[in-house]
Amino acid sequence: MYEWNEMVQLMVDWIEGDLAAVPSLIKMSEQLGYSPYYCTKQFHSLTGVTLRDYAWMRRISRAALELRDTDARILDIAVKFGFSSQEAFSRAFVKAFQITPHVYRKAPRPIPLAIRAEVFSPYHYLIKERDKMRQVHLQEAEIKIERIPAHKFIGIWDADVDNYGQFWEHGHDCDEVSGTLESMSHHTLPGQIGQTAGWFYQNGQKGYLYGIPVAADYAGEIPEGMEAREIPESEYLVFFHPPFDYLKDNGEVMQTVEQVAWNYDPKTMGYTWDEDTKQDYQRHFPEGYGYAVLRPVKKLG
């Protein structure tokens, strides 16, 4: 049923493997066993963009990060990502971001980077494997304390939804929001993961948030449609599962962690919840960090 999701994801993997030398459509279609026309049609259907445009935007986005994070010459970056000249690279950069590479390097600002396409999810994997018996061996959620210093959180707070899926279905463009925040990743609060989701409480109602934590003294540009809120220093109870196989175990891991997080009594550790002026965080980087729910607490007494 989801055969093409998996095959288009393979096409994405091949493109991402070497953005300067994108595999030819003929070669990809031969490996998949379908005509070039049908491969491009399915790619566009599942990603919303043509294969050529996807590769182009990913190349220019990765090049933007090189401009921001390295001292490499603009010409060398252009060649690294497959542009024929510095002039061709500059034209493409202006077309994508309405700013020249030189100006962007001197003063990086939020820009809508293209993010990696993901069209084959744990849901599709489970459908594919529904007829196979599989025993999952997951460990219990770990519980630990983490202190996060005072910081600002730049992002979107939506009081009308309370989970990840609903958030993106409620008028927020995932590619645009994630791409813009990716361009700000160098501002991430030290010791913290970049793009972060979570929950906040407003008039007794639980809402959902998505953004990036930055230093408390951040005074840079705030992307259009987002805001910056000051979050006080706090200790957090962290309910955590270490890295796991995203496709196979994502649902079980999240359920395991959240079952403990939302039912735990912090008094057993000498704390009480402190979510009135702070917010909960959700870290979800399966194969690098793992999965965690962080809830702010304060000492009893």
Side-chain angles (χ1 to χ4, degrees), residues 1-297:
M1 182 184 300
Y2 293 101
E3 177 186 14
W4 270 107
N5 292 76
E6 189 171 8
M7 287 198 283
V8 168
Q9 195 66 59
L10 282 174
M11 296 172 74
V12 168
D13 292 344
W14 292 333
I15 293 170
E16 295 286 336
D18 188 355
L19 289 171
V22 178
S24 71
L25 177 58
I26 293 295
K27 183 176 179 180
M28 286 194 286
S29 65
E30 288 175 349
Q31 289 183 269
L32 295 176
Y34 288 86
S35 71
Y37 167 76
Y38 201 57
C39 288
T40 56
K41 180 180 179 180
Q42 292 296 330
F43 190 96
H44 184 271
S45 175
L46 288 171
T47 66
V49 296
T50 66
L51 189 149
R52 175 177 293 181
D53 284 348
Y54 175 80
W56 182 83
M57 280 303 300
R58 284 295 291 151
R59 287 165 61 203
I60 204 72
S61 293
R62 288 280 296 278
L65 294 179
E66 293 265 340
L67 283 171
R68 189 194 72 186
D69 298 337
T70 75
D71 295 324
R73 295 189 309 164
I74 293 178
L75 175 58
D76 292 338
I77 294 174
V79 172
K80 178 178 179 178
F81 288 97
F83 292 92
S84 59
S85 65
Q86 184 169 327
E87 290 73 19
F89 174 57
S90 294
R91 288 195 298 271
F93 203 89
V94 171
K95 180 180 178 181
F97 306 122
Q98 292 75 57
I99 187 174
T100 67
H102 179 71
V103 171
Y104 177 72
R105 164 164 274 178
K106 289 181 63 178
R109 60 176 176 81
I111 54 177
L113 299 179
I115 60 175
R116 177 191 176 99
E118 299 292 345
V119 298
F120 189 62
S121 71
Y123 169 75
H124 303 124
Y125 180 90
L126 290 174
I127 293 296
K128 178 184 176 183
E129 299 292 309
R130 65 188 183 278
D131 295 326
K132 298 180 181 179
M133 295 299 293
R134 177 176 171 275
Q135 188 173 5
V136 180
H137 299 283
L138 299 177
Q139 67 181 65
E140 295 182 359
E142 300 175 15
I143 304 174
K144 53 189 178 182
I145 290 287
E146 179 178 333
R147 177 172 290 276
I148 299 180
H151 59 283
K152 289 180 181 176
F153 194 84
I154 298 173
I156 299 170
W157 288 256
D158 191 331
D160 295 323
V161 301
D162 65 4
N163 64 66
Y164 185 86
Q166 291 178 357
F167 182 86
W168 296 118
E169 294 171 358
H170 201 235
H172 310 298
D173 187 314
C174 182
D175 289 345
E176 182 177 346
V177 171
S178 298
T180 300
L181 290 172
E182 177 63 22
S183 74
M184 302 178 66
S185 59
H186 58 309
H187 292 300
T188 300
L189 183 70
Q192 299 300 304
I193 289 174
Q195 295 186 40
T196 306
W199 300 268
F200 67 102
Y201 303 86
Q202 181 174 302
N203 300 323
Q205 180 176 336
K206 190 176 185 179
Y208 199 76
L209 59 91
Y210 192 89
I212 185 172
V214 299
D217 61 356
Y218 176 83
E221 185 176 349
I222 307 300
E224 183 177 355
M226 300 186 194
E227 60 177 300
R229 296 187 182 181
E230 296 183 357
I231 310 299
E233 180 177 8
S234 180
E235 287 187 303
Y236 290 76
L237 280 186
V238 181
F239 303 91
F240 171 75
H241 191 288
F244 56 92
D245 188 310
Y246 173 65
L247 288 178
K248 297 179 181 179
D249 298 332
N250 188 67
E252 292 91 341
V253 167
M254 292 184 69
Q255 183 178 13
T256 297
V257 170
E258 293 181 16
Q259 177 68 25
V260 177
W262 302 124
N263 294 283
Y264 189 76
D265 183 358
K267 293 179 182 178
T268 61
M269 295 181 67
Y271 291 93
T272 185
W273 300 125
D274 188 23
E275 294 164 319
D276 292 336
T277 60
K278 304 179 181 74
Q279 54 196 29
D280 301 327
Y281 286 129
Q282 181 185 41
R283 296 172 178 165
H284 187 246
F285 294 85
E287 291 166 357
Y289 168 83
Y291 179 63
V293 172
L294 291 77
R295 299 185 64 183
V297 292

